[in-house]
Amino acid sequence: GYATYSSATSFVVAVAGGGAAVELDLARSHSRGSGAGGDEFRVASSLTCPPRGQIYSLNDARFDDWPLGLQRYISDVRSGAGQTGKHYSARYVCSLVADFHRTMHYGGWCGNPRPHLRLVYEANPLSFVAAACGGAGSDGARAILSKRPEALHERTCFFVGSTEDVTELQSYGDVQQGAAEYTV
């Protein structure tokens, strides 16, 4: 699961065995006097990711550095030339959990074409939650949950969200970007 804390506070949990992800909303409600200190805790309905969205979330400033398949896909969905014929738009907070949470509610996908995210600690848990919500996680070529870690801190490319959007993205091939080497 994961937690978000900003203008809205949420705690999302998914369980093994087919359980859907459940969202706990923590809303401030002094006037109602419910809960200690006026906090109101309620379990929202099961979180369900739509099969399609019209939003993608990744750093558009890196467009020229992306592999050609990813550039073609983004150009197509922006212009309405993707499978849905709808114009997609970018929404990028630069916070994986915030981008992921929005994606689970509204559909589309979020991710990083570069292998920056850790498979065990980031990509697998969010892919697990996405699967419980009806979504999918991918490294751009195959399902994240089918990958066996080769090292504890192994890093991977990561795309997660609506199943049909992730499948369409993968169909373009060449969406994974090699690891950049940085000098300090």
Side-chain angles (χ1 to χ4, degrees):
Y2 62 90
T4 61
Y5 180 77
S6 63
S7 59
T9 302
S10 298
F11 179 65
V12 177
V13 178
V15 294
V22 176
E23 181 177 10
L24 176 65
D25 287 333
L26 309 174
R28 183 71 72 193
S29 178
H30 292 292
S31 62
R32 295 184 188 183
S34 58
D39 290 335
E40 176 183 325
F41 303 98
R42 66 181 189 272
V43 175
S45 60
S46 295
L47 186 56
T48 304
C49 181
R52 278 277 186 190
Q54 282 184 255
I55 300 170
Y56 67 91
S57 180
L58 78 165
N59 188 354
D60 266 344
R62 307 293 306 191
F63 183 88
D64 293 334
D65 296 334
W66 295 340
L68 293 177
L70 184 56
Q71 287 179 357
R72 282 192 332 270
Y73 169 81
I74 294 297
S75 295
D76 284 353
V77 297
R78 275 184 192 159
S79 68
Q83 291 176 359
T84 66
K86 295 180 180 178
H87 293 266
Y88 280 44
S89 61
R91 300 285 186 275
Y92 183 62
V93 176
C94 194
S95 164
L96 178 60
V97 172
D99 286 329
F100 177 79
H101 188 68
R102 181 196 55 248
T103 299
M104 290 299 100
H105 280 277
Y106 300 109
W109 63 270
C110 65
N112 192 335
R114 293 161 59 166
H116 283 191
L117 299 172
R118 291 171 297 170
L119 178 61
V120 173
Y121 304 111
E122 295 159 321
N124 268 336
L126 290 180
S127 292
F128 182 83
V129 172
C133 294
S138 170
D139 67 1
R142 65 183 183 148
I144 288 288
L145 294 177
S146 71
K147 293 179 74 164
R148 290 193 162 241
E150 295 178 15
L152 187 59
H153 296 287
E154 178 183 346
R155 295 183 183 269
T156 186
C157 304
F158 186 49
F159 305 95
V160 64
S162 298
T163 54
E164 293 174 20
D165 287 316
V166 172
T167 299
E168 180 181 1
L169 169 70
Q170 283 183 177
S171 75
Y172 278 71
D174 190 26
V175 297
Q176 299 172 318
Q177 189 170 4
E181 294 185 23
Y182 300 100
T183 57
V184 179

